[in-house]
Amino acid sequence: MAALIDWQCLYEDDDLLAVAKPAGWLSVPGRGPDKQDCLFASVQQRFPQALVVHRLDQATSGLMLFALNPWTQRQLSMAFAARRMEKTYLAWVEGLLPIGTDWQTIDLPIQADWERRPLRIIHPEGQASLTHWRCLQHHLQGYGSLLELQPLTGRTHQLRVHLQAIGHPIWGDSLYAPADVQERTPRLMLHAHTLAFTHPRQRTVVTLQSALNWGQIPIVMKDNNP
């Protein structure tokens, strides 16, 4: 894990704070003594009153909110549950998708892969799952596309499963991508980029962003790509 000082506070007021989670960090403690180091524990070293509102996958980097009192935690948790949080992610995926400004939709139900937990699969009896996507650019050196993503539902591994299902797995995805796509990058190329929501106390719209310098992440391209 990166050093505990490597997370960045992006926004702070009396009720909540937003931080940039590094890739590879657990959001909250896991089971077992080897899974206690996490972003939440590190945030509490500086903000002892911090409370969990939502989570990101361990491999995902980017924007996370924490509440600073129980009332705000309840309000933000309800906003997430009611889909009043506008979330966008950025991801580099395998293959060339058409660049455009219009949102495209992936509407595929997701359920647990009971024989290979914690993996998820597309299944007709799964939970309804919706993702919007649009392609922002193609990679200059290879066969990849940068996507902006909006998960309209919040299923476990939703973006990773949906993109794998349409034939465009995320670079560096050790769970859902084939070996050559996993080896493109040393980390999962998925980043929680923005959050927009109504502040529960101030009743104003707050728009937060976590920047990421993709150019600092090495990418391995194979000569046999189309």
Side-chain angles (χ1 to χ4, degrees):
M1 178 180 287
L4 290 179
I5 61 172
D6 281 354
W7 62 271
Q8 177 186 9
C9 184
L10 303 173
Y11 174 87
E12 175 191 355
D13 63 27
D14 291 339
D15 292 298
L16 59 92
L17 64 135
V19 307
K21 174 189 169 299
W25 283 41
L26 290 168
S27 294
V28 297
R31 295 180 179 177
D34 60 329
K35 294 182 173 59
Q36 298 309 297
D37 286 339
C38 62
L39 179 63
F40 178 49
S42 183
V43 167
Q44 283 195 312
Q45 292 180 14
R46 181 173 166 188
F47 300 93
Q49 74 275 38
L51 299 167
V52 173
V53 175
H54 67 122
R55 306 178 187 188
L56 294 176
D57 288 349
Q58 182 175 2
T60 304
S61 61
L63 191 59
M64 276 191 66
L65 287 183
F66 291 91
L68 295 179
N69 55 68
W71 181 84
T72 301
Q73 183 188 38
R74 289 193 298 273
Q75 299 303 310
L76 293 176
S77 297
M78 288 189 294
F80 272 102
R83 304 179 189 175
R84 297 196 301 269
M85 291 281 185
E86 185 175 311
K87 301 174 286 185
T88 67
Y89 290 72
L90 297 174
W92 279 102
V93 304
E94 185 75 357
L96 300 180
L97 287 157
I99 296 173
T101 57
D102 293 337
W103 290 102
Q104 310 299 318
T105 300
I106 304 171
D107 182 359
L108 295 170
I110 295 174
Q111 75 171 24
D113 186 345
W114 299 108
E115 296 182 356
R116 298 188 302 154
R117 295 182 70 183
L119 298 184
R120 299 299 196 265
I121 56 173
I122 302 299
H123 194 281
E125 296 181 1
Q127 293 177 297
S129 306
L130 288 172
T131 299
H132 285 170
W133 67 268
R134 57 188 175 190
C135 181
L136 303 179
Q137 67 181 81
H138 294 153
H139 197 272
L140 296 177
Q141 299 175 351
Y143 192 56
S145 301
L146 178 63
L147 302 187
E148 183 178 13
L149 303 159
Q150 285 188 341
L152 303 186
T153 48
R155 311 306 178 202
T156 299
H157 297 173
Q158 176 175 318
L159 298 178
R160 301 164 74 173
V161 173
H162 270 175
L163 291 168
Q164 185 270 342
I166 66 169
H168 298 278
I170 301 174
W171 285 353
D173 192 340
S174 62
L175 296 181
Y176 298 100
D180 61 329
V181 178
Q182 292 183 33
E183 294 169 1
R184 289 268 188 260
T185 55
R187 56 151 290 185
L188 178 71
M189 296 293 267
L190 178 62
H191 183 72
H193 185 228
T194 67
L195 271 175
F197 58 96
T198 300
H199 193 288
R201 193 178 305 276
Q202 300 171 8
R203 307 310 300 169
T204 56
V205 175
V206 178
T207 301
L208 304 171
Q209 183 179 104
S210 173
L212 179 65
N213 185 351
W214 297 106
Q216 293 181 341
I217 303 170
I219 296 172
V220 177
M221 290 300 175
K222 307 296 185 183
D223 294 336
N224 60 352
N225 281 332

